[in-house]
Amino acid sequence: MRHIALFIAKAAGTISRILRRGGGTSLPGMILMKMRPTMLREMAQDLEDGVIVISATNGKTTTARMVANAIQESETSYVANTSGANLASGIATALLAKKPEDRLGIFEVDEAALPTLIPELQPSVIVLMNLFRDQLDRYGELESTIQKWKDMIQSLPETTKLIVNADDPALGFLGSQHSNVEFFGIEQNQYGSVILPHAADSIHCQKCDSALQFQQTTIGHLGHWSCQNCGEQRPQPTFTGTNINLNELNGSEFSVVSKSNSIDLEVPLAGLHNVYNALAAFSICSASGIKSSNIQKGLSTLSAAFGRNEIITYAGTEMMLLLAKNPAGANQNLQTLLLTEEKIDLVISLNDRTADGKDISWIWDVDYDMIFDRIATLTISGDRAYDLALRFYYSDFPTSNMHIVPSVEGLLNHLKDSCESLQRVVILPTYTAMLDLRSQLNKVGATHSFWEEQ
Amino acid sequence: MTEIRICHLYPKEMNIYGDRGNIAVLQKRLERRGYSSSVTPIGAGEDFNPSIFDLCYLGGGQDRDQIIVAHDLQKKSAALRSGAEDGMVFLWVCGGIQLAGEGYTDSDGRRIPGVGILDLDTSAGNRRLIGDLVLNAELDGETSTLVGYENHAGRTFLGPDATPLGSVLKGYGNNGADQTEGAVQERVIGTYMHGPILPKNPWLADKLLTWAIEHNTGGIPALSPLDDSLENLAQQVAISRAGVKR
Ligand SMILES: [Zn+2]
């Protein structure tokens, strides 16, 4: 039965790729789990070096890719869901493609699916990076995800190692409830702030409900936090990111200090969020016994994950794709754009389909205003382009400099027609807007299908 | 120049559905007609003085934060009730409509008292009511379509002193049972509709502003029309995405 199930599911993946129906990143796994529900557990147990699971609202795809790159340098063979299909079906599909020599699993897991997937995957390492408000219609309130993660941590066996971002107040507190835990965090630095952004979420103490104090914030509510009422505070990290230098849109350098060691890292992906991602990746690799030189090499030779800091050339113009699907992620992308003095031709595409979240109220929680004086031209697209236009209009962005082209075909035509005058094009799409854009660019020959690039 | 004074209650705790967009719309639509405005954030532990505001806004928050806010509101409820009696305009959205009522009974049967400026009561339902929300709304004898989004566990039923803001064309509304949505009582409006509600529904924004100016000056203003073409396009798209044919 096991063999028949495996055979049929694999065949479905091949057929799906041939028919070009979505790259077959989830369908084979879906069929397999229907035919043999225990298969995910069985396949995960076949990995003799164990399973690493990475979860977060933002950064899990990039971090998983970073870890995979470093592990590749150490010549360990692994299996991973690098295409970003991060539910049970996507992980089962990845496991179906496991090669006999693969010893390790590296999986990014959707934050809502994490509690139910942990008993299936029985990971040796779980990495919790951040929790921000995201697609409230789909994930529900942040607080309910925190509660589910709390219950999950309480039932973890002692042998499971947790690696947790100390700078996230909710996660820092949750991590402290498990004995086998290591924290990572970022030292106070010149890119931080003392003001909490509008969309800060975890601002009350998990233990006593009092308002938290922040000595510094980095991204959203991440930072150096403490509770004056009960004394709960940011745990002391094992891995500390320090000497951070963000090199405009090109990437960053920083050092990781752990115990008596200091390792310099170079990451070719821009922004402080990628420092967090690289720090998490370093912590995972270091805790898994990967040599520092291999981690350094793995991180410095990284290419962008699908739609995350990815550069595409179209109509002779380079365009940077920065996936933006929730307030914290979008704000962090905007902060990153502020690292360059250059004027930006900004394109934002807002869809409201299931994978984007049907509730688009989150755009009002993004601090777009911070980059108004850097915008050379603004182009607005997507299913809900007019909502986005209103977001800018009510912040006094001049409508004369706003081009509204709802359809993706219209968007590409507009970019082509104006390519002479475009300088630095940056596109902030929601998830399905990115897929639409990629598929349209693929039609005109500017990109490959993403499953051909894996 | 007349200054319209807006109070934004608990902006730190109750802000998860783009609530500041509602404040931005109120301010810009005043500014574009030559009125000035001020926004005063009032949080937990701070006093609310009903004599210095024309309009009071309260938005949606997480359950945990809403409980913190509900406790703090107890200390402000007498002042809020006196403001409502005096004709102050209220827009209380999502968690706000529940807090404006008599109270909320949660899934464990615990009772959280409300402020009592709307004659309604709320208790927790088994599942959250989530999705697009489209209404036929009526205020001051005028009707308009309103469109937005809802996401709430509470089931709200109105008493005799409150009238619904509108009847549901698409979505659940107050309770998913009686086709009503929101509540109006004098100049107090409560609604589950976020999105946020005001950018795509300029008719409602202007109704609130007319009332707020009247509260401030004592006379009913004639608001000059604005170019609402973007607002109307956004509304039409939202209505058709919600699957309502017109
Ligand atoms: Zn505390």
Side-chain angles (χ1 to χ4, degrees):
Chain A
M1 178 60 195
R2 179 178 157 128
H3 293 292
I4 297 169
L6 284 170
F7 175 78
I8 293 175
K10 280 182 184 170
T14 311
I15 293 164
S16 161
R17 268 190 300 276
I18 292 167
L19 296 176
R20 303 200 155 231
R21 295 181 70 94
T25 56
S26 292
L27 180 69
M30 221 178 276
I31 293 171
L32 181 66
M33 308 256 305
K34 276 254 152 65
M35 295 178 67
R36 195 174 165 92
T38 56
M39 202 62 214
L40 190 57
R41 191 180 293 227
E42 292 170 30
M43 289 192 298
Q45 276 170 357
D46 287 347
L47 292 159
E48 54 255 65
D49 285 359
V51 167
I52 298 170
V53 157
I54 301 167
S55 196
T57 304
N58 291 332
K60 52 190 177 292
T61 306
T62 300
T63 303
R65 201 176 178 99
M66 287 173 166
V67 172
N69 239 36
I71 284 176
Q72 203 150 31
E73 290 297 330
S74 74
E75 289 174 3
T76 299
S77 195
Y78 65 88
V79 55
N81 57 338
T82 43
S83 61
N86 57 23
L87 302 173
S89 54
I91 293 164
T93 303
L95 280 166
L96 271 172
K98 171 180 141 11
K99 300 181 293 296
E101 66 270 26
D102 291 344
R103 304 171 58 86
L104 179 70
I106 306 166
F107 300 117
E108 63 150 300
V109 175
D110 176 88
E111 55 272 37
L114 184 69
T116 53
L117 274 172
I118 292 300
E120 299 298 317
L121 297 173
Q122 304 193 357
S124 42
V125 178
I126 303 174
V127 189
L128 307 177
M129 296 173 57
N130 54 63
L131 279 178
F132 298 110
R133 70 176 75 170
D134 186 20
Q135 301 178 29
L136 297 166
D137 55 310
R138 201 153 73 98
Y139 291 112
E141 294 178 350
L142 183 67
E143 198 59 46
S144 70
T145 308
I146 293 170
Q147 286 309 316
K148 283 175 196 148
W149 280 25
K150 192 178 189 175
D151 297 341
M152 167 191 91
I153 288 170
Q154 271 164 1
S155 58
L156 281 182
E158 166 99 32
T159 49
T160 305
K161 181 180 279 301
L162 271 186
I163 297 178
V164 178
N165 187 350
D167 294 355
D168 189 311
L171 301 192
F173 176 78
L174 293 192
S176 311
Q177 315 300 304
H178 190 65
S179 56
N180 187 1
V181 61
E182 309 232 39
F183 292 99
F184 64 90
I186 284 179
E187 272 301 277
Q188 295 201 39
N189 63 75
Q190 71 272 33
Y191 305 106
S193 164
V194 287
I195 306 160
L196 274 172
H198 165 76
D201 296 304
S202 291
I203 56 171
H204 287 113
C205 178
Q206 282 293 326
K207 199 169 176 179
C208 78
D209 274 346
S210 302
L212 292 172
Q213 265 72 43
F214 288 84
Q215 269 185 297
Q216 178 177 53
T217 59
T218 50
I219 297 171
H221 55 246
L222 304 186
H224 286 227
W225 55 274
S226 61
C227 174
Q228 307 284 295
N229 184 48
C230 74
E232 194 64 33
Q233 59 177 328
R234 172 182 181 260
Q236 193 54 44
T238 313
F239 303 98
T240 298
T242 181
N243 296 325
I244 299 166
N245 177 38
L246 303 180
N247 184 10
E248 298 200 4
L249 299 186
N250 305 313
S252 55
E253 298 109 45
F254 70 105
S255 309
V256 184
V257 177
S258 58
K259 295 177 193 104
S260 57
N261 243 327
S262 175
I263 308 288
D264 297 332
L265 295 179
E266 246 184 72
V267 189
L269 300 180
L272 196 59
H273 56 299
N274 280 313
V275 172
Y276 269 111
N277 295 341
L279 179 61
F282 183 92
S283 312
I284 297 162
C285 293
S286 185
S288 312
I290 311 274
K291 274 199 307 197
S292 297
S293 58
N294 286 334
I295 308 175
Q296 282 170 315
K297 214 161 152 203
L299 290 178
S300 66
T301 57
L302 200 73
S303 62
F306 184 56
R308 285 92 171 165
N309 286 61
E310 189 183 20
I311 310 271
I312 285 170
T313 304
Y314 169 68
T317 313
E318 278 197 351
M319 305 181 180
M320 185 182 243
L321 273 176
L322 297 174
L323 184 66
K325 53 195 175 74
N326 52 46
N331 279 338
Q332 185 46 34
N333 283 336
L334 298 173
Q335 288 285 358
T336 303
L337 295 180
L338 287 179
L339 294 171
T340 169
E341 302 279 309
E342 283 175 76
K343 291 267 183 181
I344 288 159
D345 295 295
L346 188 65
V347 179
I348 312 180
S349 187
L350 174 67
N351 279 358
D352 63 354
R353 301 175 203 169
T354 306
D356 304 301
K358 289 176 172 295
D359 183 356
I360 52 154
S361 58
W362 63 273
I363 58 171
W364 293 86
D365 290 327
V366 180
D367 296 315
Y368 294 108
D369 313 48
M370 73 171 101
I371 55 154
F372 278 12
D373 60 0
R374 303 288 178 86
I375 296 178
T377 60
L378 175 65
T379 307
I380 288 176
S381 186
D383 300 336
R384 300 301 289 268
Y386 294 108
D387 280 272
L388 200 49
L390 283 179
R391 168 70 186 86
F392 280 80
Y393 174 62
Y394 276 106
S395 290
D396 283 334
F397 190 89
T399 44
S400 56
N401 193 21
M402 206 191 286
H403 306 271
I404 306 172
V405 272
S407 76
V408 65
E409 295 85 359
L411 172 62
L412 286 189
N413 285 336
H414 171 74
L415 290 175
K416 197 181 197 174
D417 293 345
S418 47
C419 66
E420 296 284 299
S421 60
L422 296 176
Q423 300 289 316
R424 183 180 272 281
V425 181
V426 176
I427 307 178
L428 305 182
T430 57
Y431 188 72
T432 71
M434 179 191 64
L435 295 184
D436 279 5
L437 192 63
R438 293 282 314 234
S439 124
Q440 193 65 22
L441 284 165
N442 190 29
K443 264 190 210 160
V444 300
T447 56
H448 301 287
S449 306
F450 73 91
W451 60 92
E452 289 165 4
E453 290 176 0
Q454 297 306 316
Chain B
M1 190 164 37
T2 307
E3 186 191 79
I4 302 306
R5 303 155 304 171
I6 299 168
C7 167
H8 189 174
L9 278 178
Y10 309 104
K12 273 192 194 146
E13 289 84 5
M14 305 294 276
N15 65 21
I16 62 170
Y17 297 115
D19 292 280
R20 69 175 172 178
N22 288 326
I23 303 289
V25 168
L26 292 171
Q27 285 202 283
K28 292 298 168 193
R29 295 184 76 82
L30 283 167
E31 187 188 310
R32 283 164 190 163
R33 277 130 169 175
Y35 291 92
S36 71
S37 65
S38 63
V39 175
T40 308
I42 293 186
E46 294 171 343
D47 284 334
F48 174 83
N49 176 355
S51 64
I52 58 168
F53 297 115
D54 302 308
L55 191 151
C56 176
Y57 181 83
L58 176 58
Q62 304 194 63
D63 293 346
R64 188 159 176 266
D65 291 321
Q66 190 171 327
I67 292 167
I68 295 170
V69 162
H71 287 299
D72 190 75
L73 269 177
Q74 292 312 300
K75 294 170 221 149
K76 298 182 172 74
S77 61
L80 286 162
R81 279 196 297 271
S82 105
E85 276 159 31
D86 184 44
M88 188 191 294
V89 183
F90 287 73
L91 178 63
W92 283 24
V93 177
C94 204
I97 187 176
Q98 300 169 350
L99 293 164
E102 298 305 322
Y104 185 95
T105 307
D106 75 11
S107 49
D108 300 323
R110 275 175 306 204
R111 182 78 178 159
I112 303 158
V115 173
I117 49 175
L118 285 174
D119 183 15
L120 56 85
D121 206 280
T122 306
S123 54
N126 293 329
R127 63 183 187 98
R128 293 188 78 86
L129 306 178
I130 303 174
D132 294 304
L133 183 56
V134 185
L135 309 182
N136 253 337
E138 185 178 340
L139 286 171
D140 288 349
E142 294 170 37
T143 58
S144 178
T145 306
L146 300 179
V147 62
Y149 205 86
E150 64 183 319
N151 184 345
H152 53 103
R155 307 293 192 268
T156 296
F157 290 89
L158 308 193
D161 292 341
T163 49
L165 172 63
S167 57
V168 175
L169 296 176
K170 171 81 188 199
Y172 302 98
N174 286 334
N175 45 52
D178 64 11
Q179 304 294 305
T180 68
E181 159 51 27
V184 185
Q185 196 168 331
E186 303 297 330
R187 300 273 153 108
V188 180
I189 295 183
T191 177
Y192 277 114
M193 185 177 279
H194 66 261
I197 184 171
L198 296 182
K200 281 193 290 286
N201 299 300
W203 171 82
L204 179 62
D206 283 356
K207 191 57 73 187
L208 294 167
L209 292 177
T210 303
W211 291 353
I213 294 166
E214 188 190 352
H215 180 260
N216 185 290
T217 65
I220 299 172
L223 290 180
S224 51
L226 299 175
D227 175 3
D228 284 337
S229 48
L230 275 180
E231 286 83 345
N232 294 334
L233 280 164
Q235 190 187 66
Q236 281 161 25
V237 170
I239 290 169
S240 85
R241 299 282 301 164
V244 176
K245 292 201 187 84
R246 289 212 295 175

